[in-house]
């Protein structure tokens, strides 16, 4: 029967996965090597695998097949023949409770597996930072996050009309913030980066911090350095919030800056400087001459633990030793850029992590070891609205 084939194939895929690739790349390669799977087969097998991955460290003592089915029950939004075949009691219960919430399904699962707790999903619990609702945060890993758009200034009417005409369902959760499904064909409907930027809701909250920071920044001659610019999302954001500035962007690889340049061109932003800089290596040259900046944005490399609902393979793959590597890297980068911060200038420190060592402990380091004055620090919590969770703090020198 096909349901048994799906379950067996999912177990085979998971057994072969070693975490050295993002899982979506790994399973794509698996299907590419074996052409017998049709689109429905691939979709079902992928759903089974991702349900398993979303369990993270929970139910580790159970057989793989049982964990696959438990994860599938908690993560799909409908009952189907697969559940009827393997877990008829769950299927029957769901049939009589068609509007059952995730919380109710968790309670039913616990009747079969009393040891199951959502807290067991997430690794290194003792290192979690000051999240306001940790239980809700853990539970959110059982749900696929939405994709978020930030409408750029002057384009709201156009963006909403285009989405409506294309029949794309969306939620307007803030004046310029839209949530859409993960499969929405946005690139076919919108002029991305010019009209709207794909940017998680929590990343957009950084813009609110930038609004607060504006009072600390000079009105004229503003110089900004986005020192870990990646694809340029924060650079576009600060441009939209602050306006006229002299912008410098940098990253460790030229290939990254190539992508940034393409995105900035689409956004209609020019006149900036882009440079390759390995900020973690104290012996490398930074081609900034004797420049100094009013604002340095340090969206530093991190564990990404606030985004693991998007990459659930990390729930089991992440190791405590990796955390120490990231905190060392963060200290090196920030220590390297601070000499370029003007006296009285502002540092904006950002991670997409929920670990205390990458966040609150770095704030302490910057205050005690680097003499910065903390103005504000906060977790930008998106788990209640199917978004990521970030941490941001800004300081004055």
């Amino acid at each position: 029967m096909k349901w048994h084939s799906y379950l067996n194939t999912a177990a085979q895929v998971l057994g072969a996965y070693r975490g050295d690739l993002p899982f979506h790349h790994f399973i794509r390669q698996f299907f590419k090597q074996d052409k017998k799977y049709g689109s429905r087969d691939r979709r079902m097998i992928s759903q089974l695998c991702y349900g398993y991955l979303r369990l993270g460290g929970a139910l580790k003592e159970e057989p793989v097949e049982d964990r696959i089915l438990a994860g599938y029950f908690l993560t799909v939004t409908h009952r189907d023949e697969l559940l009827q075949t393997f877990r008829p009691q769950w299927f029957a219960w769901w049939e009589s409770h068609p509007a059952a919430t995730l919380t109710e399904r968790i309670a039913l699962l616990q009747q079969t597996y009393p040891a199951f707790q959502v807290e067991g999903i997430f690794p290194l619990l003792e290192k979690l930072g000051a999240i306001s609702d940790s239980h809700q945060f853990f539970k959110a890993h059982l749900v696929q996050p939405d994709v978020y758009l930030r409408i750029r200034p002057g384009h709201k009417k156009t963006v909403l009309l285009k989405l409506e005409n294309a029949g794309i369902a969306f939620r307007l959760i803030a004046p310029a913030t839209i949530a859409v499904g993960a499969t929405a064909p946005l690139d076919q409907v919108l002029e991305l980066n010019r009209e709207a930027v794909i940017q998680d809701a929590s990343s957009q909250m950084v813009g609110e911090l930038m609004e607060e920071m504006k009072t600390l920044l000079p009105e004229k001659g503003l110089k900004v350095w986005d020192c870990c610019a990646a694809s340029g999302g924060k650079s576009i954001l600060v441009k939209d919030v602050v306006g006229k500035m002299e912008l410098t962007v940098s990253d460790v690889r030229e290939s990254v800056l190539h992508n940034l340049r393409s995105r900035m061109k689409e956004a209609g932003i020019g006149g900036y400087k882009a440079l390759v800089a390995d900020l973690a290596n104290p012996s490398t040259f930074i081609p900034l001459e004797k420049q100094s900046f009013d604002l340095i944005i340090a969206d530093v490399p991190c564990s990404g633990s606030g985004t693991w609902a998007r990459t659930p393979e990390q729930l089991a793959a992440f190791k405590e030793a990796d955390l120490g590597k990231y905190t060392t890297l963060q200290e090196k980068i920030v220590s390297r850029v601070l000499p370029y911060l003007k006296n009285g200038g502002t540092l904006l420190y950002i991670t997409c992590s929920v670990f205390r060592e990458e966040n609150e402990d770095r704030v302490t380091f910057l205050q005690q070891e680097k003499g910065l004055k903390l103005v504000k620090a906060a977790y930008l919590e998106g788990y209640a609205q199917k978004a990521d969770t970030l941490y941001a703090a800004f300081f004055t020198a």
Side-chain angles (χ1 to χ4, degrees):
M1 183 181 289
K2 61 182 178 182
W3 307 119
H4 290 85
S5 175
Y6 289 155
L7 183 59
N8 291 336
T9 301
Q12 177 188 348
V13 171
L14 292 165
Y17 182 59
R18 295 292 177 266
D20 50 342
L21 284 175
F23 186 74
H24 68 278
H25 289 315
F26 178 83
I27 197 167
R28 188 180 301 147
Q29 289 181 3
F30 175 86
F31 290 135
K32 188 175 181 179
Q33 292 170 1
D34 196 330
K35 304 292 187 181
K36 70 180 179 182
Y37 299 104
S39 60
R40 187 167 188 270
D41 301 330
R42 296 193 298 270
R43 184 171 63 253
M44 284 296 300
I45 294 166
S46 295
Q47 285 181 336
L48 288 167
C49 289
Y50 273 107
Y52 173 96
L53 292 171
R54 289 190 181 280
L55 288 182
L59 298 181
K60 275 195 168 183
E61 304 304 316
E62 302 299 329
V64 170
E65 289 79 5
D66 287 16
R67 294 188 75 212
I68 292 173
L69 293 170
Y72 184 75
F73 174 67
L74 293 178
T75 56
V76 295
T77 57
H78 58 278
R79 55 197 183 278
D80 56 24
E81 291 182 55
L82 187 143
L83 284 174
Q84 189 175 30
T85 299
F86 293 107
R87 294 294 184 265
Q89 71 278 22
W90 295 350
F91 179 88
W93 175 86
W94 205 347
E95 195 169 31
S96 62
H97 299 77
T101 64
L102 175 57
T103 298
E104 291 170 328
R105 280 183 279 147
I106 288 172
L108 180 71
L109 183 77
Q110 288 170 330
Q111 294 180 19
T112 304
Y113 302 107
F116 176 78
Q117 298 291 333
V118 294
E119 287 77 7
I121 291 173
F122 203 78
L124 305 178
L125 292 182
E126 72 283 359
K127 295 185 177 293
L128 191 69
I131 297 294
S132 59
D133 188 343
S134 58
H135 181 83
Q136 179 73 7
F137 170 71
F138 300 140
K139 189 169 72 172
H141 289 81
L142 297 170
V143 180
Q144 171 66 31
D146 283 331
V147 170
Y148 284 86
L149 289 171
R150 180 176 63 83
I151 304 172
R152 297 198 64 209
H155 293 283
K156 183 173 182 178
K157 183 177 180 180
T158 299
V159 169
L160 297 182
L161 184 61
K162 284 185 174 183
L163 293 175
E164 289 170 356
N165 289 343
I168 295 176
F170 64 89
R171 293 180 290 127
L172 185 64
I173 65 171
T177 305
I178 295 177
V180 299
T183 60
L186 298 174
D187 58 338
Q188 300 174 25
V189 176
L190 301 175
E191 292 184 53
L192 290 178
N193 296 318
R194 189 181 78 86
E195 297 174 334
V197 177
I198 296 176
Q199 190 169 49
D200 187 75
S202 296
S203 292
Q204 296 185 41
M205 292 181 202
V206 174
E208 299 175 14
L209 286 179
M210 290 179 178
E211 289 283 359
E212 294 184 42
M213 287 165 36
K214 284 172 68 174
T215 60
L216 304 174
L217 302 174
E219 294 183 5
K220 295 182 179 180
L222 175 64
K223 297 182 67 174
V224 178
W225 180 16
D226 186 356
C227 70
C228 301
S231 62
K234 298 297 188 305
S235 292
I236 299 173
L237 179 59
V238 73
K239 178 67 175 177
D240 288 348
V241 171
V242 176
K244 190 175 181 180
M245 70 182 72
E246 183 179 326
L247 177 64
T248 298
V249 298
S250 65
D251 209 282
V252 70
R253 295 184 303 278
E254 175 59 39
S255 59
V256 173
L257 292 178
H258 175 77
N259 294 333
L260 178 145
R261 291 186 185 97
S262 297
R263 194 178 186 193
M264 297 287 269
K265 183 178 180 180
E266 292 169 352
I269 298 174
Y272 60 92
K273 299 176 183 177
L275 54 95
V276 176
D278 182 0
L279 301 176
N281 186 344
S283 64
T284 58
F285 174 69
I286 301 177
L288 285 173
E289 299 177 348
K290 295 181 179 181
Q291 293 188 54
S292 58
F293 297 89
D294 303 289
L295 169 62
I296 296 178
I297 303 170
D299 189 354
V300 294
C302 68
S303 63
S305 48
T307 69
W308 286 349
R310 297 187 188 276
T311 55
E313 60 267 33
Q314 292 294 322
L315 290 168
F318 190 77
K319 301 294 187 292
E320 185 171 358
D322 295 331
L323 184 57
K325 294 176 184 177
Y326 282 116
T327 56
T328 299
L329 182 62
Q330 290 151 11
E331 287 193 4
K332 287 181 177 180
I333 290 173
V334 175
S335 297
R336 194 82 193 281
V337 302
L338 282 181
Y340 296 91
L341 185 64
K342 288 182 179 179
N343 184 32
T346 301
L347 171 72
L348 176 57
Y349 175 86
I350 307 167
T351 77
C352 51
S353 170
V354 293
F355 289 132
R356 182 179 60 254
E357 292 178 28
E358 296 184 279
N359 300 327
E360 291 96 331
D361 289 357
R362 292 314 101 217
V363 167
T364 300
F365 167 79
L366 288 168
Q367 290 176 294
Q368 296 182 355
E369 302 296 327
K370 299 300 178 181
L372 298 184
K373 179 182 178 182
L374 177 66
V375 179
K376 185 172 184 177
Y379 280 95
L380 309 178
E381 299 174 352
Y383 48 83
Q385 57 186 9
K386 299 173 68 177
D388 300 334
T389 293
L390 276 65
Y391 183 84
F394 70 92
F395 308 79
T396 55

